Amino acid sequence: MKTKSPQRELAYRLAERDELVVEILELEGRLARATRRFEELSAEIKPSGHVE
């Protein structure tokens, strides 16, 4: 059975971490856009519940 070298394992884990960081940043961006859109739509709704 072949084992990975410590350097190779570290490189693999760092690459995996970087992928997760990118996914988190993408999700944060989507959340920010959704929040802005929610605020825009909320502003269009009158207190009586009718859309302007």
Side-chain angles (χ1 to χ4, degrees):
M1 184 169 100
K2 203 173 190 181
T3 60
K4 293 182 181 178
S5 70
Q7 294 86 1
R8 187 174 178 135
E9 181 67 23
L10 177 61
Y12 173 79
R13 288 182 184 215
L14 288 173
E16 196 172 53
R17 184 196 66 185
D18 289 347
E19 288 178 26
L20 291 172
V21 169
V22 168
E23 288 178 24
I24 289 168
L25 292 172
E26 289 172 351
L27 289 171
E28 287 175 341
R30 289 174 58 190
L31 177 60
R33 286 191 302 275
T35 300
R36 283 193 303 272
R37 183 65 179 140
F38 174 76
E39 290 169 353
E40 291 170 359
L41 291 173
S42 295
E44 293 177 10
I45 299 174
K46 293 182 181 179
S48 65
H50 292 88
V51 177
E52 289 184 5

